[in-house]
Amino acid sequence: MLNIVLFGPPGAGKGTQSERLIEKYGLVHLSTGDIFRANMKGETELGLLAKSYIDKGQLVPDEVTINMLRSEVLKHHDPKGFIFDGFPRTNNQASALDSFLTETGTEISVMLALEVEESELKVRLKKRAEVSGRADDANPEVIANRIHVYNAETAPVKDFYQEQGKFVSIDGIGSIDEITHRLFEAIDKL
Ligand code: ADP
């Protein structure tokens, strides 16, 4: 199986690039942000809980997120692989992911980390706010908090994969096609 963690700060382009990767490698796309938003739209219990965190730019608690992701993984029988987009976002989530992939007889192949500097992220998120309709994109304080949470809690997840020799850094600046090409190259080298 080819199991990819697509990593990067808010606005790095994970969603856009995921679509390209799914198409080329036939992977199952699991985006925790998309799953939370679908639940928010459907006003499920999970959605209401998630909303109370997402609207403030905070992370949804690990236990909730891990259980949700785990049940999504188990829904798929015999997939070619997964692309994890927006997960893991804490070291706790990363070790939980390792354990349950081990249980199902597989493992993470690589973490591809899209690197984009903070000033560019703010510009992209502001632009996205005009089209996404996402409340968490519209408010500069919420954006600042998401970037803060990323630096404090999520960026350390890189070390987790670095220690396993699975970390690959990808320059996230350039055209969408250029970045896709960099990702394809990194995967084809595995
Ligand atoms: P972005 O990458 O633009 O921040 P996402 O769509 O990945 O957006 O996530 C939106 C929000 O959903 C996050 O700010 C966070 O509140 C919540 N979320 C997504 N993934 C996770 C996760 N793995 N753990 C905790 N919260 C998460």
Side-chain angles (χ1 to χ4, degrees), residues 9-11 14 31-34 36-37 53-54 57-60 65 85-89 93 125 128 134 136-137 146:
K14 300 185 291 286
S31 157
T32 41
D34 286 353
F36 285 137
R37 279 186 290 278
Y53 294 93
I54 291 175
Q58 294 169 354
L59 294 181
V60 178
T65 307
D85 164 2
F87 185 94
R89 259 178 154 100
Q93 293 180 10
L125 288 171
R128 187 168 83 185
R134 277 175 55 171
D136 63 340
D137 282 345
R146 281 158 65 202

Side-chain angles (χ1 to χ4, degrees), residues 14 47 55 58-59 67 97 118 125 132 138 153 168 183-184:
K14 300 185 291 286
D55 282 355
Q58 294 169 354
L59 294 181
N67 285 335
L97 180 62
E118 214 168 292
L125 288 171
S132 71
E153 292 185 57
V168 177
L183 290 167
F184 286 176

Side-chain angles (χ1 to χ4, degrees), residues 74-86:
L74 296 176
K75 276 184 194 165
H76 299 274
H77 298 286
D78 209 18
K80 280 194 187 161
F82 292 98
I83 170 156
F84 297 100
D85 164 2

Side-chain angles (χ1 to χ4, degrees), residues 90-109:
T90 62
N91 275 333
N92 233 339
Q93 293 180 10
S95 12
L97 180 62
D98 265 8
S99 338
F100 70 76
L101 288 182
T102 305
E103 272 169 41
T104 52
T106 185
E107 62 175 359
I108 290 297
S109 319

